[in-house]
Amino acid sequence: MYIILVYDIGEKRVGKMLKLCRRYLNWIQNSVFEGEITEVKLKQLLHSARLIMDEETDSLILFKSREQKWLEKEIIGQDKNDLDTFI
Amino acid sequence: MYIILVYDIGEKRVGKMLKLCRRYLNWIQNSVFEGEITEVKLKQLLHSARLIMDEETDSLILFKSREQKWLEKEIIGQDKNDLDTFI
């Protein structure tokens, strides 16, 4: 399936979360990731995310779509993902 | 159509952008919004967004879906949108 993942995580934990999400998904902006992922991999990702998160204050939102073609993406301004490849 | 909008905007401009997006969409987290919107309203929103943005540094990403049912949303941790209603 194709997912969009966005998080809002306390500063102390954000580095770990970024590293985790990058292992499974493509970073597209700030705290936003997207990508194709299997059910099993998604379970692994969410399990690890929960270990990092403070669920009292942090938040993670997933949008799941069975097929990427059902979602059209449009970028205005900087495509940060392009920059990312040079960092 | 149903859209998810995420932005990464310089601090000086972020207040204006938040206010603009809230006029058209539901705020769900940090710099993430979602909602049903018409083509015409979306054009208005993007026109206004471009006037606020510095397109050299800022970024706005839209995911458009013809129908919301094609996207399943899952929230882990805090549902900030709930808190939002009290602010």
Side-chain angles (χ1 to χ4, degrees), chain A residues 11 13 17-20 22-23 33-34 39-40 46 50 53 56-57 64 66 69 72 75 78-79 81 83:
Chain A
E11 216 178 314
R13 298 173 291 279
M17 189 60 109
L18 177 72
K19 210 171 149 190
L20 170 69
R22 281 194 157 172
R23 240 189 288 148
F33 298 78
E34 65 168 355
E39 281 284 355
V40 174
L46 293 183
R50 282 198 167 98
M53 288 171 74
E56 296 289 306
T57 57
K64 305 182 201 173
R66 258 202 303 149
K69 66 177 180 195
E72 186 192 328
I75 296 172
Q78 282 299 311
D79 186 346
N81 194 23
L83 293 174

Side-chain angles (χ1 to χ4, degrees), chain A residues 2 4 6-9 27-34 42 46 50 53-66 70-80, chain B residues 2 4 6-9 27-34 42 46 50 53-66 70-80:
Chain A
Y2 169 80
I4 301 163
V6 291
Y7 58 65
D8 185 5
I9 303 276
W27 179 75
I28 50 170
Q29 188 200 75
N30 216 358
S31 51
V32 186
F33 298 78
E34 65 168 355
L42 180 57
L46 293 183
R50 282 198 167 98
M53 288 171 74
D54 174 352
E55 294 195 29
E56 296 289 306
T57 57
D58 298 343
S59 156
L60 186 156
I61 302 176
L62 277 184
F63 297 94
K64 305 182 201 173
S65 175
R66 258 202 303 149
W70 289 343
L71 269 183
E72 186 192 328
K73 186 168 69 174
E74 189 177 330
I75 296 172
I76 290 149
Q78 282 299 311
D79 186 346
K80 307 246 166 158
Chain B
Y2 170 79
I4 300 163
V6 291
Y7 58 64
D8 185 5
I9 303 278
W27 180 75
I28 48 170
Q29 187 201 77
N30 214 0
S31 51
V32 187
F33 298 78
E34 65 168 355
L42 180 57
L46 292 184
R50 281 199 168 96
M53 288 171 73
D54 174 352
E55 293 196 28
E56 296 289 306
T57 58
D58 298 342
S59 157
L60 187 157
I61 302 175
L62 279 183
F63 297 93
K64 305 181 200 173
S65 175
R66 259 200 304 148
W70 289 343
L71 269 184
E72 185 193 328
K73 186 168 69 172
E74 189 177 330
I75 296 172
I76 291 151
Q78 282 299 310
D79 187 346
K80 306 245 166 159

